[in-house]
Amino acid sequence: LHGPAWLTDPQALARTAGQHLRAVVACFLGRSPEARPVHEQFARGWRLGRRATDPLRRALVLSADHEMNMVAFVARGLSSVGANMGAALLAAMCNVNSTFNGGATERVESLWDELTARRDLRGAIAARLDKGQGLPGFNHLAYPAGDPRAAMLLTLCSSLAPLPPIASTVESLTGWKPSIDYAFVALRRALGAPAGTALTMQYA
């Protein structure tokens, strides 16, 4: 799949974009492409059951509505100089595992495991900060007042399963609010999705 750069008809573009999306989702899931809605494919592929389909749909919409992150910027930049859709998409996906983008969810996962293994959550957070280690998943530079997408996702998570008070403890200590990376890790855990799928949900 590549989608020629000269393709401008809206309906033809939509069909080609749909083909590309199905191919990306199939790669994430290790399955053949199918026309089923993406959130249903994830719920089925991860064996999460029907209760997961609506939360997944909401999460995907929130992530897609972000407009201009670095992944989207790369795709748009290449498209603006005549690259075909497939090339632009491939270059964008190469950014997914960068530290600032998809790599952030892996660091949040590690932080989550580290903090929940400690009896004194507040002390564990303070100890990290004293060592200058930082807190991945908090204090998003683009959202100094808090990431509204994260707030919505965390509200959704709280209706699915009890979560440790990491976010509230961090905020009480530092004033920092959780980012979308933290929220997707929370959603993955609340749904019982396989390890590593927070990144998939965020960038599919």
Side-chain angles (χ1 to χ4, degrees), residues 5-57:
W6 45 258
L7 190 62
T8 57
D9 177 73
Q11 291 187 345
L13 270 174
R15 286 193 298 271
T16 302
Q19 291 172 346
H20 280 74
L21 176 60
R22 287 192 288 275
V24 169
V25 171
C27 289
F28 275 124
L29 292 174
R31 293 169 170 257
S32 298
E34 57 177 296
R36 189 188 304 267
V38 174
H39 63 286
E40 292 182 11
Q41 291 189 50
F42 284 160
R44 183 184 180 195
W46 299 332
R47 300 179 181 179
L48 300 180
R50 288 183 175 273
R51 71 184 274 273
T53 55
D54 186 61
L56 285 170
R57 181 186 62 80

Side-chain angles (χ1 to χ4, degrees), residues 41-188:
Q41 291 189 50
F42 284 160
R44 183 184 180 195
W46 299 332
R47 300 179 181 179
L48 300 180
R50 288 183 175 273
R51 71 184 274 273
T53 55
D54 186 61
L56 285 170
R57 181 186 62 80
R58 291 170 182 266
L60 291 172
V61 170
L62 282 171
S63 184
D65 199 38
H66 184 46
E67 183 66 21
M68 187 62 84
N69 58 23
M70 185 54 67
V71 177
F73 176 79
V74 169
R76 292 187 181 196
L78 282 173
S79 297
S80 72
V81 293
N84 64 52
M85 190 183 298
L89 178 60
L90 178 60
M93 296 309 290
C94 286
N95 280 268
V96 166
N97 71 343
S98 63
T99 300
F100 189 77
N101 292 303
T105 57
E106 292 295 324
R107 293 187 294 132
V108 171
E109 293 276 15
S110 296
L111 176 69
W112 192 297
D113 290 337
E114 174 191 327
L115 295 179
T116 54
R118 300 281 295 276
R119 280 183 147 184
D120 180 7
L121 178 60
R122 191 178 184 89
I125 293 169
R128 279 188 62 94
L129 294 172
D130 287 342
K131 295 174 185 175
Q133 293 177 331
L135 298 171
F138 290 90
N139 200 29
H140 196 299
L141 296 177
Y143 298 102
D147 189 333
R149 302 166 301 159
M152 294 180 72
L153 276 181
L154 289 172
T155 298
L156 178 61
C157 290
S158 66
S159 69
L160 297 169
L163 297 173
I166 297 173
S168 58
T169 306
V170 169
E171 185 171 0
S172 70
L173 270 172
T174 66
W176 299 348
K177 297 181 184 296
S179 70
I180 191 72
D181 306 295
Y182 179 88
F184 267 108
V185 170
L187 180 62
R188 179 197 76 75

